[in-house]
Amino acid sequence: MIVIGLSLGFGSGCIEPVEKPLSQAAQSESSSSLLEEVGPSVVLPALNSFHSNIEVFRDGLNDITSVIENNGNIEESLEASRNNWLLVYKSWQELEVMQIGSAGSSLSTVGGEDKRDEIYSWPTVSGCLIDQMTVTDDWKTDSYFDNNLVNAYGLDAIEHLLFSELETECPSQVPPISDGSWYALEQEENGILKQRIEFAKALSEHVEQTTEYLIQQWSPDGENFSAQLTVEGASPFADKDEALYAVFLSLFYVELLTKDRKLAQPLGLRDCPNETCVEDIESLQSGLSLHAIQSNLVGFKNLFTGGTSTGMDDLLIELGHADLSEQIILDVDAVITLLDAHVGKPLDGMITDDKETVIEIYDHIGLVTTALKQDLTTVLEVSVPSEAAGDND
């Protein structure tokens, strides 16, 4: 088992560090190829695709501004931007499963810099706060992103600006209702929509810049994080076991977030005081929750298989577990196919009217995550993340 912790020193180095042997998995040829190729074959293509989509989306917001100014068809322009948003959303949801290095949490990820939260902070979202920011011009200042928490910007905020009703979510006793600023904006022709679009442009530019930073971190011409994963030269990883574990941990997104937070909680199966908790659904306003779940699984498959290069599947085959590799891929494909028939439907409506199908989707994902928690951890000789250790479903 791999144990990641602090190495404590006493005195002036009387105790010599003991170098532990690498696990069988970390010594394999497939492991070395996986660590070397995960950046150029999986993460970078996904980041570049997302970057292209956010650029197209931002350009579409400029079109809305032009349409408003020229009294054009606002609804048609909004619909075009929402279609562009779907591409942004799906491409980011694939990247959600790839929180390795800078994208990951600074508290729990080797090399983590919290850049994921800079781009998408769900479930930390505040519709009221976004409405409060909408009526100000604070987001026009260079210091806005330094002075505010992640629940005031990012893809979550853009989604709220693009899909929410024109009424604010804030209660009457707080701004922008209590100070009259929301009402004043309503009195201007398309005042709220114009302000929201301008705010969304600023947020999109910040997302784009943060994505460019991540691309630079992974690029062979930049920081080349894949080289750091191979633990050659300067690296934040102690050895290849720790680097391999970092890739393995990122796969657990489908257990902790996709299965448990995005499905089990709204279904009332965990962390829900009521029969169901549909108010906790991701992207409730846009109705894109099932798109997110499907894209998470697509991202999982790409990371697991290494795209067109070496992945965990090849590592399992080399270690004599081709049957496990094949079964995980078959189970992932089965859920993706199952979701094909439902991704256009709002999840809250399905939980109300067709709960059995949602349970079926949940159970199918459970097949994947059970293999991840039980079989894959055994083969790789690693431990289950503490957040998932007590979860037996």
Side-chain angles (χ1 to χ4, degrees), residues 14-31:
C14 298
I15 302 176
E16 290 294 328
V18 177
E19 186 175 322
K20 74 176 183 62
L22 290 176
S23 67
Q24 182 184 5
Q27 293 180 63
S28 68
E29 290 184 13
S30 294
S31 175

Side-chain angles (χ1 to χ4, degrees), residues 31 63 72 111 146 229 256 306 323 354:
S31 175
D63 292 341
D146 293 327
L229 277 170
L256 299 172
D323 54 339
D354 191 11

Side-chain angles (χ1 to χ4, degrees), residues 320-335:
H321 297 277
D323 54 339
L324 175 58
S325 171
E326 181 180 359
Q327 190 59 54
I328 290 175
I329 294 172
L330 285 172
D331 287 338
V332 172
D333 284 341
V335 192

Side-chain angles (χ1 to χ4, degrees), residues 133-391:
M133 296 294 106
T134 299
V135 300
T136 74
D137 286 335
D138 290 354
W139 38 269
K140 293 182 179 179
T141 65
D142 293 337
S143 60
Y144 178 78
F145 298 99
D146 293 327
N147 295 339
N148 286 278
L149 300 175
V150 292
N151 60 349
Y153 56 88
L155 296 179
D156 333 67
I158 297 171
E159 187 172 34
H160 177 85
L161 296 170
L162 196 63
F163 288 94
S164 65
E165 299 294 331
L166 293 181
E167 294 79 17
T168 176
E169 291 188 4
C170 296
S172 59
Q173 63 269 29
V174 302
I177 299 298
S178 63
D179 63 3
S181 56
W182 193 263
Y183 176 77
L185 203 56
E186 285 180 319
Q187 300 315 297
E188 301 176 21
E189 186 177 5
N190 296 312
I192 292 173
L193 179 60
K194 285 192 291 187
Q195 193 79 344
R196 281 182 167 178
I197 295 303
E198 292 305 311
F199 188 14
K201 288 180 193 177
L203 299 180
S204 298
E205 289 172 5
H206 181 70
V207 168
E208 189 176 337
Q209 291 165 7
T210 307
T211 306
E212 289 166 358
Y213 176 83
L214 289 175
I215 290 172
Q216 190 273 340
Q217 290 295 300
W218 281 97
S219 173
D221 298 326
E223 296 301 317
N224 197 5
F225 193 75
S226 284
Q228 297 178 41
L229 277 170
T230 61
V231 200
E232 295 179 0
S235 174
F237 298 98
D239 52 34
K240 287 186 178 180
D241 266 323
E242 191 175 51
L244 185 62
Y245 190 59
V247 178
F248 169 78
L249 279 180
S250 64
L251 293 171
F252 263 84
Y253 184 97
V254 295
E255 160 72 13
L256 299 172
L257 274 297
T258 307
K259 181 175 74 70
D260 289 350
R261 181 60 181 80
K262 299 185 183 190
L263 281 173
Q265 189 166 324
L267 280 166
L269 302 178
R270 59 179 299 142
D271 304 322
C272 174
N274 306 310
E275 184 176 349
T276 61
C277 285
V278 294
E279 67 278 5
D280 294 330
I281 287 175
E282 180 183 25
S283 301
L284 188 59
Q285 291 171 323
S286 66
L288 299 178
S289 311
L290 291 175
H291 279 289
I293 290 167
Q294 186 181 56
S295 295
N296 291 164
L297 291 160
V298 171
F300 175 96
K301 182 180 178 182
N302 286 341
L303 186 59
F304 181 77
T305 61
T308 58
S309 296
T310 307
M312 288 280 182
D313 58 334
D314 301 293
L315 175 57
L316 288 175
I317 292 170
E318 183 179 343
L319 295 175
H321 297 277
D323 54 339
L324 175 58
S325 171
E326 181 180 359
Q327 190 59 54
I328 290 175
I329 294 172
L330 285 172
D331 287 338
V332 172
D333 284 341
V335 192
I336 293 172
T337 300
L338 176 60
L339 282 160
D340 278 336
H342 304 287
V343 287
K345 303 173 185 177
L347 182 55
D348 55 334
M350 284 194 68
I351 290 176
T352 301
D353 301 327
D354 191 11
K355 192 174 182 179
E356 294 81 7
T357 298
V358 184
I359 293 289
E360 183 182 6
I361 294 168
Y362 171 82
D363 287 341
H364 272 68
I365 296 174
L367 295 176
V368 177
T369 59
T370 296
L372 189 65
K373 289 188 296 182
Q374 297 180 5
D375 302 321
L376 196 54
T377 53
T378 301
V379 172
L380 298 183
E381 302 176 67
V382 295
S383 56
V384 175
S386 57
E387 303 94 324
D391 183 6

